[in-house]
Amino acid sequence: EDKVVQSPLSLVVHEGDTVTLNCSYEVTNFRSLLWYKQEKKAPTFLFMLTSSGIEKKSGRLSSILDKKELFSILNITATQTGDSAIYLCAVSSGGYQKVTFGIGTKLQVIP
Amino acid sequence: GAVVSQHPSRVICKSGTSVKIECRSLDFQATTMFWYRQFPKQSLMLMATSNEGSKATYEQGVEKDKFLINHASLTLSTLTVTSAHPEDSSFYICSASETGTDTQYFGPGTRLTVL
């Protein structure tokens, strides 16, 4: 059974702090790893990672994948209150576009 | 960017009625669409994967006769919750992948409340 494990489950930081969210996985026939941000409604896409060691960056967010150790991290620098959300990690595997989601990390950024 | 819409955004119905939820990819063609359910404070749970022109693949524990999925075109999939009961009340979210890619783009979700 494919598994995606995220840590920590919950995190409270002050504005301006840097956070690192972790995602480890065990899947058959890995295709890609995806990060999403979920606020009040449906998730919004952040990154898709397919190759090890190549950092994807978007503003204050960045992510990297390690396919040997089977994990990914999502970094957020200079956090703002608008970064408060649940961050979901998902792994696409197999040949049928099957995607397994982790339970998410709830990030709260306080002023 | 890729946009997925869902309709309706919220529905309240009586127990025993059927509810249809539509999921549309607005600016791309989606060979595959996914239906998820999310209960409060829980993660997304994949219900089924639907491919245009073929039968949907349901996850273990999801009743295919209760949750009817139709993916009639490359831009539209529908989920019908038949004979809905209060325990079916949940947040239903669809997502769509552009043909040949893994990235899923999510619709805004439909909040279903069954009285």
Side-chain angles (χ1 to χ4, degrees), chain A residues 6-43:
Chain A
Q6 289 185 248
S7 64
L9 292 180
S10 183
L11 193 54
V12 181
V13 301
H14 288 281
E15 266 191 320
D17 288 351
T18 293
V19 297
T20 298
L21 310 183
N22 303 295
C23 175
S24 63
Y25 60 90
E26 289 178 35
V27 301
T28 306
N29 297 324
F30 172 89
R31 288 162 60 100
S32 61
L33 186 142
L34 307 115
W35 283 98
Y36 291 87
K37 177 182 181 182
Q38 185 175 22
E39 296 172 87
K40 289 183 180 174
K41 288 201 170 178

Side-chain angles (χ1 to χ4, degrees), chain A residues 31 36 38 42 96-97 99 102, chain B residues 32 34 38 43 101-102 104 107:
Chain A
R31 288 162 60 100
Y36 291 87
Q38 185 175 22
Y96 223 70
Q97 293 184 291
V99 176
Chain B
T32 307
F34 303 83
Q38 187 173 37
S43 188
T101 72
D102 285 336
Q104 291 185 29

Side-chain angles (χ1 to χ4, degrees), chain B residues 16-87:
Chain B
T17 59
S18 293
V19 174
K20 182 189 275 190
I21 304 170
E22 288 187 353
C23 177
R24 291 181 188 271
S25 57
L26 297 186
D27 51 0
F28 66 99
Q29 292 188 328
T31 305
T32 307
M33 289 185 171
F34 303 83
W35 287 96
Y36 294 86
R37 184 165 49 184
Q38 187 173 37
F39 292 106
K41 299 185 181 180
Q42 293 187 25
S43 188
L44 297 169
M45 287 179 52
L46 179 66
M47 297 175 67
T49 303
S50 81
N51 285 280
E52 186 263 339
S54 62
K55 287 184 182 179
T57 303
Y58 289 81
E59 294 299 299
Q60 197 171 6
V62 178
E63 298 173 59
K64 62 181 181 181
D65 294 331
K66 181 170 181 62
F67 298 99
L68 301 178
I69 290 172
N70 186 293
H71 193 155
S73 77
L74 286 171
T75 58
L76 173 64
S77 176
T78 60
L79 168 69
T80 302
V81 183
T82 61
S83 187
H85 292 289
E87 57 266 30

